[in-house]
Amino acid sequence: MRRKTALITGASRGIGRAIAQAYGAAGYDLFLTCLTSKQALQDLCTQISGAYGVCTHACCMDMGDWPSVQDLFSGIGELDVLINNAGISHIGLLSDMTPQQWRRVMSTNLDACFYTCKLAAQKMVAQKRGRILNISSVWGISGASMETAYSASKGALNSLTRALAKELAPSNVQVNAIACGVIDTDMNRCFSDEERQALIDAIPADRFGTPEEVAALALQLADAPAYLTGQILTLDGGFL
Ligand code: NDP
């Protein structure tokens, strides 16, 4: 029987790395990407294929670059699951942000998802099956001060999720998103101990989430009933 294939973007660290581990353990062949952490991604591929006997491919590339994404997809045959996880944050006042900084956030967090969804949808509609999962944020629902571009990119990603789900439902392709709360990864290393504690104090679960918790939900969504589509699932310890 053919093994299933998943493409997971931003898999060298944090949430994407945990999702790659979970999908590898579940027997998926994997296409994994990162921007610059080439060795870390290669080591992860070696570890996953050694542990689970699946095929892994590491691609170091900018997901916000359309020709690179086209190249990536030219090497992929059937695709069962696309997970748009690669993302960056930018913390600061909107009035201090440069157009280049704005563009970089939008390119990575939103343009990249358009590119991958476009190419994945072509495959999945032809296959009459497929799952797309976007890793989003609670800030895309509520908005966050000092993270306007990030909030806008994730809000747009949530709308993309709902709209594309309607477009692809007739073809048996499900599109959902996980809106994460604060997850303990490099993305939040910029916070001081005091800022970290203030955030924890605001979270009813009294802690940050773990990448493994996001990965567990991401894997469950691959096998969720096909009637579940167009949903933004909030995973935030009760934060919102
Ligand atoms: P990390 O900063 O730990 O990891 C980011 C990953 O994305 C890395 O693998 C990085 O590659 C990759 N990446 C960044 N830019 C690009 C690019 N242009 N092209 C290809 N890959 C890229 O982030 P997290 O694991 O915390 O976040 C993962 C996702 O979860 C993001 O979309 C984020 O917005 C979302 N999220 C995270 C939350 C959190 O609290 N951590 C909360 C809500 C949502 P490299 O190592 O090469 O730089």
Side-chain angles (χ1 to χ4, degrees), residues 82-182:
L82 162 66
I83 302 184
N84 284 313
N85 167 78
I88 55 169
S89 64
H90 177 92
I91 298 181
L93 293 172
L94 183 79
S95 49
D96 292 338
M97 192 173 196
T98 66
Q100 291 75 18
Q101 289 169 329
W102 172 275
R103 189 85 288 289
R104 191 164 162 256
V105 172
M106 290 299 165
S107 164
T108 306
N109 295 2
L110 187 59
D111 295 3
C113 300
F114 159 55
Y115 300 152
T116 54
C117 284
K118 172 182 165 65
L119 296 175
Q122 289 169 1
K123 287 183 187 294
M124 290 174 176
V125 168
Q127 294 165 187
K128 280 270 173 202
R129 121 194 95 71
R131 306 250 164 165
I132 296 174
L133 177 61
N134 296 320
I135 305 300
S136 188
S137 163
V138 290
W139 298 146
I141 299 169
S142 68
S145 169
M146 308 283 284
E147 296 197 59
T148 302
Y150 182 79
S151 301
S153 71
K154 295 298 188 179
L157 185 59
N158 291 345
S159 296
L160 181 155
T161 301
R162 292 194 192 94
L164 189 62
K166 290 181 178 164
E167 197 168 307
L168 297 182
S171 303
N172 188 34
V173 176
Q174 292 75 39
V175 188
N176 292 294
I178 300 176
C180 298
V182 189

Side-chain angles (χ1 to χ4, degrees), residues 9-17 33-38 40 59-65 84-89 104 107-109 112 135-139 150 154 157 178-188 211:
T9 70
S12 54
R13 304 183 271 129
I15 293 168
R17 183 184 169 89
T33 79
C34 71
L35 183 61
T36 55
S37 307
K38 194 173 181 178
C59 316
C60 204
M61 55 178 284
D62 180 358
M63 294 306 301
D65 181 61
N84 284 313
N85 167 78
I88 55 169
S89 64
R104 191 164 162 256
S107 164
T108 306
N109 295 2
I135 305 300
S136 188
S137 163
V138 290
W139 298 146
Y150 182 79
K154 295 298 188 179
L157 185 59
I178 300 176
C180 298
V182 189
I183 309 298
D184 202 3
T185 70
D186 291 349
M187 195 171 265
N188 296 313

